[in-house]
Amino acid sequence: MSSLTGIGGRLAVRLQSLTRPQVIVLIVVLAVVAGIWTAAATGHQGLAVSLVAVLLLGVLLGILHLSRWMGGLHRANQAAHRDLRVVVEQMQRRVVATVEKERVTAGDRHQELTRTITRGLRQNGHGNDLLLRAQSREIEAMFQLFAEFTPRAPMPSSGDFALNPTDLLELLHIVRLRRPQLVVELGSGTSTVWLAYALEKSGGRLISLDHDEDYAGKTREMLDAHGLSAVAEVRTAPLTELVADGKTYRWYDVEKLADVRDIDLLLIDGPPASTGPDARYPAMHALESRLAPVATVVLDDANRPDEQDAVRRWVENVAGLTAEPHLLGRHAVLSYSRSGATASVPA
Ligand SMILES: C[S@@+](CC[C@H](N)C(=O)[O-])C[C@H]1O[C@@H](n2cnc3c(N)ncnc32)[C@H](O)[C@@H]1O
């Protein structure tokens, strides 16, 4: 009884889920079946057979409709499958193109990196090569310096803040050739000792200015140790304001050279660049009037922009000042000749 109730329930649910055309077909089929049954029961054999034929025809038409519907469904399914395949292929192509693009970009980046590393290695090698050659030049110059002089005490180091051996070598060559009677040096240190040895030999004297009392004191001690205090003296000249070409600079107190005349050789190696821009430019403005009629001016660190600019402006503005070619080092050599004066090289 309960199973009958279950079957009835499920049947009711199925009937409720039928569409309107399905309900109409079902009612028509039930009506025809009822007609057959009634015709057969009431002895109308002909009508019953006719109704059976109509029912069979209906079933046949139903099967035909069903097969056409399923065929349509199959075609729609195939079309959807084709569309899906096209979409998948397009996506595959896009993925492959993206991967290929990334691969090419990564290849380019790799090549660029390799080129940069190779360039760096080459430059580094070139830099090392230049450094090695510069060191060889300085060592050769050092040998020549010590071949010319035999110091009476350990010599202070050259290079860094002090003049390089190549610069010292050419400076002492100038002293040997031109035999200056009075040398003024701006910025004391190792060069003061070497210059003093050269002047002791050639016959001349040196006045060195230093803005810093400590460095001035150290240089005085070195001169004492080498027995050169009679040849060279160090004067402390603190930096004070000095106006040159309408601009204010911090430069040595010129009063410290008030007694000085006829400088034959002027070595400009101070004040240090750290004291201000164009730190050495005022030198010619302050000391031109104290130069001998014919003199030589040597400027160290002439490879730096400030010093190159100073040389250019001096040559433009100071009458009788010309740049000379020089042999070695990083300094500039200039000759000064006051108008009407002629150079005389001592024998
Ligand atoms: C370029 S240095 C002069 C060097 C000197 N003409 C020589 O060849 O040894 C200029 C000034 O810098 C200062 N100075 C010297 N050695 C220094 C150092 N190691 N560090 C900082 N300043 C220094 C001194 O006051 C010196 O007068």
Side-chain angles (χ1 to χ4, degrees), residues 28-38 55:
V28 169
V29 169
L30 286 176
V32 171
V33 170
I36 293 168
W37 191 57
T38 310
L55 189 64

Side-chain angles (χ1 to χ4, degrees), residues 161-163 185 187-191 209-212 215 252 269-270 272 280:
F161 263 79
L163 259 71
E185 175 189 54
S188 77
T190 303
S191 56
L209 290 195
D210 207 307
H211 71 287
D212 185 301
Y215 282 110
Y252 299 103
D269 195 21
R280 296 175 184 179

Side-chain angles (χ1 to χ4, degrees), residues 6-7 18 27 92 94 116 118 127 130 164 185 203 205 215 229 240 244 259 286 294 299 314 332 335 341:
I7 291 168
L18 289 178
I27 290 170
Q92 273 178 343
R94 261 186 230 150
T116 309
T118 314
L130 287 179
N164 280 333
E185 175 189 54
R205 67 190 185 100
Y215 282 110
S229 299
T240 57
D259 59 324
V294 174
L299 171 70
W314 289 339
S335 3

Side-chain angles (χ1 to χ4, degrees), residues 13 59 71 106 188 194 208 259 271 273 285 309:
V13 170
V59 169
S188 77
W194 281 106
S208 183
D259 59 324
H285 176 89
D309 196 48

Side-chain angles (χ1 to χ4, degrees), residues 11-24 26-27:
L11 195 61
V13 170
R14 287 266 171 91
L15 285 174
Q16 276 174 3
S17 67
L18 289 178
T19 60
R20 182 182 282 264
Q22 285 172 332
V23 171
I24 291 169
L26 187 64
I27 290 170

Side-chain angles (χ1 to χ4, degrees), residues 1-147:
M1 185 65 180
S2 64
S3 68
L4 273 177
T5 316
I7 291 168
R10 280 200 295 278
L11 195 61
V13 170
R14 287 266 171 91
L15 285 174
Q16 276 174 3
S17 67
L18 289 178
T19 60
R20 182 182 282 264
Q22 285 172 332
V23 171
I24 291 169
V25 168
L26 187 64
I27 290 170
V28 169
V29 169
L30 286 176
V32 171
V33 170
I36 293 168
W37 191 57
T38 310
T42 56
H44 297 88
Q45 302 298 331
L47 182 59
V49 170
S50 300
L51 286 174
V52 167
V54 168
L55 189 64
L56 285 175
L57 189 65
V59 169
L60 201 65
L61 287 173
I63 290 171
L64 272 173
H65 176 72
L66 210 62
S67 81
R68 280 187 60 193
W69 178 73
M70 283 180 71
L73 211 62
H74 178 66
R75 279 192 298 281
N77 201 12
Q78 276 186 328
H81 187 71
R82 268 197 308 276
D83 288 351
L84 195 65
R85 209 166 54 208
V86 169
V87 170
V88 168
E89 281 173 2
Q90 278 176 349
M91 280 175 68
Q92 273 178 343
R93 274 198 294 274
R94 261 186 230 150
V95 169
V96 169
T98 309
V99 169
E100 182 62 14
K101 195 172 151 203
E102 282 302 313
R103 199 183 63 76
V104 171
T105 312
D108 287 352
R109 262 193 237 128
H110 176 73
Q111 277 188 352
E112 181 59 35
L113 207 65
T114 311
R115 270 198 297 270
T116 309
I117 291 171
T118 314
R119 210 168 32 232
L121 285 174
R122 217 179 292 136
Q123 276 171 358
N124 206 10
H126 186 58
N128 287 344
D129 199 35
L130 287 179
L131 200 67
L132 218 69
R133 275 194 239 167
Q135 274 180 347
S136 307
R137 275 197 298 273
E138 298 305 330
I139 291 168
E140 285 169 15
M142 189 58 91
F143 273 119
Q144 293 178 68
L145 285 172
F146 281 99

